[in-house]
Amino acid sequence: MHDEFLCHVTGYGVCDGRRIGVPLGTYRAPTLALALWWLRDRASWIAERLDPGPRTPYVPQGALVPVPDTVPDVPGILRAWCADPLRQEQVADELAGGRLVRIAAGDETTEYELLAESVDALRMQRTLPALLLPMG
């Protein structure tokens, strides 16, 4: 069983013709449950900032406008992921199995990526190449 998990959230966009990543948060979760909670919390946090409610006090009146149906609904994708118990269970199973999990949603300008991985799996990957070196 993997006990600790490293979680990251990154926003990616294009600047001067190059793809640039901006770290939006990192968390070292001491348990699987806390890793899942943090990923859901960050996904909700991004969704709320991209698509705040019309009565949100810090948004000036008239600042929010509907977008065409052809624009990917990043906040909706993130909210749907947070609300889906089956997908949460799949993520938990992958993490418990020591595999990297990537959840991503993007539109024409920005991609948001949530990553989580077992600290134990990372340690094993770092030592693996050293174990395969020939002696002598």
Side-chain angles (χ1 to χ4, degrees):
M1 176 65 178
H2 298 271
D3 294 330
E4 261 187 305
F5 302 88
L6 195 55
C7 308
H8 303 279
V9 178
T10 307
Y12 292 95
V14 176
C15 180
D16 198 23
R18 295 183 306 152
R19 181 176 158 99
I20 302 294
V22 178
L24 300 176
T26 298
Y27 176 58
R28 189 171 180 144
T31 66
L32 178 58
L34 285 174
L36 291 169
W37 170 83
W38 191 82
L39 291 170
R40 283 190 307 269
D41 181 69
R42 294 295 83 195
S44 296
W45 179 81
I46 292 168
E48 182 57 31
R49 272 130 192 94
L50 293 175
D51 185 24
R55 290 180 180 53
T56 303
Y58 60 83
V59 178
Q61 188 165 356
L64 300 177
V65 296
V67 295
D69 290 338
T70 57
V71 174
D73 182 9
V74 172
I77 292 166
L78 294 173
R79 287 180 177 124
W81 178 79
C82 289
D84 188 336
L86 180 59
R87 290 171 74 192
Q88 297 298 310
E89 188 176 323
Q90 290 170 335
V91 167
D93 289 345
E94 292 295 310
L95 287 172
R99 290 175 291 282
L100 172 73
V101 170
R102 179 180 186 267
I103 299 126
D107 56 24
E108 296 85 17
T109 63
T110 310
E111 179 183 49
Y112 297 92
E113 175 185 75
L114 296 99
L115 289 175
E117 188 168 17
S118 161
V119 172
D120 292 335
L122 286 168
R123 286 182 185 138
M124 288 186 286
Q125 287 173 6
R126 282 191 201 129
T127 60
L128 188 58
L131 295 174
L132 296 177
L133 291 176
M135 298 297 288

